[in-house]
């Protein structure tokens, strides 16, 4: 038992190492950061990612890319409006593989971010004309995932069909349809 206590004392932090560090008094960056998980098994080339996404995202200001390993990259935007526009344009893909984006602003570890959902637009076709309203389409789409209600009718009404934004669990198969 004494050997165990001695081994434990060797594993404990010294008085200098055990001092509590407080983030509250420290400076932090004032930029907007998005963390991206690339759902591919292939190795990622940061230059290829930059060459592909910069023209697609069409940001007004520049952004930096940092490779964090494990198919996760950080996109550091100078302008928060650019980051918001990228998030509103989801889903994104690289080399035909899904990219899941998350806002990364708090002081938590990158390992704590959960990349399990992505936002998709679902098109609802062939509704009777009397039922061609957003509320009916949202109720139909609830089986696919969490419905994100739109404030702008022009986003959802597209002539003879409706578009509904849905947050889908990426670990489950996509919903192919629904019986009415």
């Amino acid at each position: 038992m004494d050997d165990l206590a001695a081994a434990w004392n060797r594993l404990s932090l010294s008085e200098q190492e055990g001092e509590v560090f407080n983030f509250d008094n420290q400076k932090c960056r004032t930029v907007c950061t998005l963390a991206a998980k690339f759902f591919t098994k292939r190795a990622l080339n940061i230059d290829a990612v930059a060459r592909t996404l910069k023209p697609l995202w069409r940001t007004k200001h520049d952004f930096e890319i940092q490779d964090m390993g494990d198919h996760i990259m950080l996109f550091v935007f100078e302008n928060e409006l650019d980051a918001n526009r990228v998030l509103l344009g989801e889903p994104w893909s690289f080399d035909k593989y899904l990219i899941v984006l998350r806002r990364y602003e708090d002081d938590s570890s990158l390992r704590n971010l959960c990349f399990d959902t992505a936002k998709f637009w679902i098109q609802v076709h062939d509704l009777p004309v009397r039922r061609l309203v957003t509320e009916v389409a949202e109720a139909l789409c609830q089986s696919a995932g969490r419905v994100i209600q739109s404030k702008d009718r022009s986003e959802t009404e597209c002539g003879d069909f409706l578009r509904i934004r849905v947050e889908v669990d990426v670990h489950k198969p996509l919903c192919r349809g629904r019986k009415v």
Side-chain angles (χ1 to χ4, degrees), residues 11-140:
L11 291 176
S12 298
L13 297 176
S14 69
E15 196 171 301
Q16 181 182 0
E17 296 168 327
E19 201 172 298
V20 176
F21 183 82
N22 189 355
F23 274 122
D24 294 336
N25 303 329
Q26 305 300 317
K27 285 186 176 181
C28 65
R29 300 189 327 186
T30 58
V31 293
C32 186
T33 305
L34 298 179
K37 171 81 172 181
F38 291 74
F39 281 82
T40 179
K41 301 232 184 285
R42 297 180 185 177
L44 292 173
N45 181 332
I46 197 165
D47 295 326
V49 170
R51 280 193 313 272
T52 303
L53 295 180
K54 281 187 181 191
L56 289 175
W57 287 352
R58 294 185 305 241
T59 59
K60 296 205 186 309
H61 297 82
D62 203 19
F63 60 88
E64 296 176 16
I65 305 174
Q66 299 172 6
D67 189 357
M68 305 305 287
D70 196 28
H71 294 95
I72 296 174
M73 290 190 180
L74 290 183
F75 294 91
V76 181
F77 292 86
E78 294 175 7
N79 186 334
E80 189 170 349
L81 292 175
D82 286 338
N84 289 337
R85 201 165 70 237
V86 167
L87 286 173
L88 288 173
E90 282 185 296
W92 296 103
S93 65
F94 175 75
D95 199 20
K96 298 183 182 177
Y97 290 97
L98 179 67
I99 303 171
V100 175
L101 294 167
R102 290 288 174 264
R103 216 174 256 291
Y104 183 57
E105 295 176 336
D106 56 1
D107 290 330
S108 66
S109 172
L110 191 59
R111 292 183 189 144
N112 294 339
L113 275 181
C114 194
F115 297 98
D116 59 352
T117 60
K119 296 178 184 90
F120 288 91
W121 286 103
I122 295 180
Q123 294 183 0
V124 181
H125 290 266
D126 296 330
L127 285 176
V129 176
R130 288 184 31 181
R131 305 292 183 190
L132 199 60
V133 292
T134 304
E135 291 79 14
V136 172
E138 286 175 349
L140 282 169

Side-chain angles (χ1 to χ4, degrees), residues 141-159:
C141 291
Q142 285 179 348
S143 65
R146 186 179 68 84
V147 172
I148 300 167
Q149 295 183 341
S150 176
K151 297 173 182 87
D152 189 6
R153 288 178 51 155
S154 66
E155 283 185 333
T156 59
E157 295 177 358
C158 301

